[in-house]
Amino acid sequence: MTPVRVLAVASEVYPIVKTGGLADVAGALPIALKAHGVEMRTLMPGYPEVMRKVAGAAELRTWPDYFGGPGRLLAGSHEGLDLFVLDVPHLYARPGNPYVTSEGVDWPDNGVRFAALSRVAADIGHGLVPTFVPDVVHAHDWQAGLAPAYLHYDNRPRPATVMTIHNMAYQGKFAPELIGAIGLPWHSFSVNELEYFGGISFLKAGLQFADRITTVSPTYAREIQSDEGGMGFGGLLRARSDVLSGILNGIDTSVWNPQTDPHIAYRFGAEDLTFRAANKAVLQQQFNLDSSDEAPLLGVISRLSWQKGLDLLLEAIPTIIEQGMQLALLGSGDRDLQEGYQAAARANPGRIGVVIGYDEILAHLVQAGSDALIVPSRFEPCGLTQLCALRYGSVPIVSRVGGLEDTIVDIGETGHDATGFKFGPVTADALAWTLRKVNTAFHNKAAWRRLQRNGLATDVSWRGRAGEYAALYRGLMAARA
Ligand code: ADP
Ligand code: GLC
């Protein structure tokens, strides 16, 4: 196996900083790639959490003026992850969420903040760190989208580049005036380069200039080539379809392992699913739900946003009540949705339980104690919670989109290897109709056990999927040799 060196560039990495699935992927993939002979180092911004957690950070480089203030590049590690940290206090030393202020609005200088990250990625690509000269620079989402663009405009020998789209909805759009401030050539402001509806888009930069584009499921790779799914980039992606592919995400099966999980009330393996009942009882307590083993308990763990379709689930609450089911929802996000669910919980005490917030530990209990996990997304590049659900014996109920389509086998599709329920179109009616079907299936104990066992037997790990990335990197290297 030829060794490969890859610089990954990501704005969040689990377990250091996480707002969603991107962090899970950026944190798990480097570890899984080791078995495939890929040495991956990840470049991330030096937010306060990162500066606290990264041990033994060695200073590789200092700049008196990096995008308007002093900066340093550090190398360090955290829980098996090899990291480069861009420590630029005037850009990153801010508490809380990496992208937004405490009022929930984007930091006004996000363009500069993430251009700075991509600039140093390109420089590492050119050999800034002599002990780690990457063969491939792998950029994740718009925050890293300028890395392939800088490498292109620098017009020097460069490593190969990969751009991975985790979510087409976040496009990194900024005013054209930024171009000068971030050191890009003015001619980049053209329709075949960075220009996007009168401004510039960092995502477009990555999609335009990366040697390969990937996204996180084969179905999403097809969907984003349509005008609707492409959210403005359908045409560009159709034009680049020869370099675009979908590689499914996995999950970290050591973090998500019901046999060893320290965050659940009772641990269990595939052979002793009866212990799930004890987790269900604790979950009911924690969400103020009536204690009942017979009522099917539906779980949700999600950002509350339009993407996730949770307004549709809110509309389907009368069906949940009428069918004698319960709901435990853990989520945070849009204020209207938060308030909608809180009102539903007040109106249906003991039946609808809601925890507004972001709580890693509780997320594990929802997986271990719910009978089914609902993901009613309008679009979903991959989705990770349904994969965790498969591993915890909670039966996924998902919409027929993106990675949900690719990772769940519907009960109607085959006789024996079904793992869950899929519904489409993505409407409240279709969801309500499916919930009735779920209720019937739940009360057929043998059928339900089969769904659970099939889920538990599904490989949701990174093992094989990391191999697809390794093959992609090697293919790029071979093409340049
Ligand atoms: P997205 O990245 O679009 O939010 P994913 O399903 O890919 O969706 O990943 C979401 C990740 O964030 C999962 O690991 C999930 O468990 C976690 N998560 C989402 N909301 C919460 C929450 N309120 N509390 C704890 N974990 C959450
Ligand atoms: C995005 C997507 C989600 C995907 C995650 C990790 O946040 O919304 O579907 O699982 O990235 O790739």
Side-chain angles (χ1 to χ4, degrees):
M1 244 181 339
T2 344
V4 187
R5 280 189 166 165
V6 181
L7 176 71
V9 190
S11 57
E12 50 184 272
V13 180
Y14 180 87
I16 308 170
V17 179
K18 166 170 163 177
T19 72
L22 164 62
D24 291 311
V25 173
L29 185 56
I31 313 256
L33 280 167
K34 287 182 189 175
H36 297 274
V38 176
E39 184 190 348
M40 179 174 268
R41 283 186 171 231
T42 306
L43 168 69
M44 70 183 306
Y47 316 115
E49 275 304 290
V50 181
M51 300 310 289
R52 268 196 294 277
K53 285 186 183 155
V54 173
E59 199 172 86
L60 300 176
R61 181 71 199 253
T62 61
W63 298 270
D65 183 356
Y66 196 75
F67 290 84
R72 304 187 296 163
L73 180 66
L74 309 173
S77 65
H78 184 75
E79 299 198 4
L81 293 167
D82 292 318
L83 300 165
F84 289 122
V85 175
L86 182 62
D87 175 30
V88 185
H90 77 282
L91 298 180
Y92 307 127
R94 303 175 191 177
N97 179 293
Y99 317 117
V100 298
T101 66
S102 52
E103 279 76 50
V105 293
D106 288 354
W107 289 107
D109 58 347
N110 272 351
V112 175
R113 297 175 75 218
F114 294 106
L117 183 72
S118 290
R119 181 62 264 177
V120 84
D123 290 331
I124 297 172
H126 291 313
L128 181 72
V129 182
T131 51
F132 187 86
V133 182
D135 302 298
V136 179
V137 172
H138 185 165
H140 292 279
D141 271 356
W142 73 264
Q143 293 88 346
L146 285 187
Y150 280 123
L151 284 164
H152 167 83
Y153 292 117
D154 289 343
N155 211 6
R156 295 166 51 184
R158 62 166 181 86
T161 52
V162 176
M163 177 78 215
T164 292
I165 306 161
H166 295 267
N167 196 325
M168 243 17 243
Y170 301 104
Q171 306 186 336
K173 289 186 276 190
F174 300 99
E177 292 72 42
L178 191 64
I179 290 177
I182 59 179
L184 285 168
W186 285 105
H187 68 75
S188 66
F189 188 60
S190 91
V191 69
N192 289 324
E193 297 177 52
L194 272 52
E195 192 276 330
Y196 187 61
F197 292 108
I200 57 170
S201 156
F202 286 13
L203 179 62
K204 181 172 179 181
L207 300 180
Q208 207 57 275
F209 294 114
D211 297 319
R212 290 279 185 287
I213 302 169
T214 71
T215 187
V216 289
S217 67
T219 294
Y220 195 58
R222 281 193 300 279
E223 290 170 349
I224 57 180
Q225 294 181 57
S226 71
D227 288 337
E228 193 195 345
M231 298 182 162
F233 294 118
L236 192 169
L237 291 170
R238 285 194 293 278
R240 300 213 69 202
S241 61
D242 54 331
V243 298
L244 166 64
S245 60
I247 301 178
L248 273 179
N249 288 333
I251 55 169
D252 185 331
T253 47
S254 60
V255 173
W256 295 99
N257 180 354
Q259 285 180 291
T260 57
D261 193 330
H263 305 313
I264 64 180
Y266 295 89
R267 298 182 191 133
F268 58 93
E271 296 316 311
D272 45 20
L273 287 174
T274 45
F275 285 107
R276 297 190 87 259
N279 287 302
K280 179 169 175 177
V282 176
L283 183 60
Q284 284 169 328
Q285 252 169 25
Q286 295 216 6
F287 278 76
N288 289 322
L289 296 168
D290 298 337
S291 52
S292 154
D293 196 31
E294 276 311 295
L297 173 47
L298 310 171
V300 172
I301 305 162
S302 187
R303 290 188 288 119
L304 302 180
S305 72
W306 182 85
Q307 170 190 349
K308 300 294 179 179
L310 290 165
D311 51 319
L312 308 175
L313 181 62
L314 205 49
E315 281 184 58
I317 282 184
T319 306
I320 294 179
I321 302 299
E322 151 220 306
Q323 293 288 305
M325 302 170 123
Q326 299 181 336
L327 175 70
L329 175 135
L330 167 63
S332 63
D334 293 358
R335 183 170 300 168
D336 286 356
L337 284 169
Q338 292 187 174
E339 289 172 1
Y341 277 101
Q342 282 166 326
R346 281 193 301 274
N348 300 284
R351 308 291 300 283
I352 306 290
V354 172
V355 173
I356 298 297
Y358 185 90
D359 187 332
E360 292 270 339
I361 292 175
L362 200 50
H364 285 245
L365 185 65
V366 175
Q367 295 288 8
S370 58
D371 295 303
L373 190 94
I374 312 184
V375 192
S377 306
R378 290 194 167 84
F379 70 95
E380 195 61 71
C382 180
L384 298 175
T385 58
Q386 84 280 11
L387 301 180
C388 301
L390 290 173
R391 185 146 166 84
Y392 276 65
S394 182
V395 174
I397 305 168
V398 304
S399 52
R400 278 187 186 279
V401 297
L404 302 173
E405 176 74 285
D406 295 340
T407 53
I408 303 303
V409 183
D410 180 65
I411 193 158
E413 276 169 37
T414 66
H416 295 292
D417 60 358
T419 55
F421 298 81
K422 292 201 264 200
F423 70 95
V426 191
T427 61
D429 282 348
L431 173 57
W433 188 79
T434 304
L435 291 176
R436 289 189 199 102
K437 228 168 53 172
V438 169
N439 198 22
T440 309
F442 179 76
H443 293 292
N444 176 344
K445 293 292 169 216
W448 196 260
R449 262 298 126 84
R450 196 158 59 232
L451 286 170
Q452 290 178 303
R453 288 201 195 293
N454 288 342
L456 285 151
T458 305
D459 182 6
V460 292
S461 77
W462 270 107
R463 268 183 299 275
R465 297 163 187 186
E468 294 184 49
Y469 281 103
L472 177 81
Y473 304 143
R474 288 207 167 82
L476 279 166
M477 286 169 67
R480 306 172 131 233

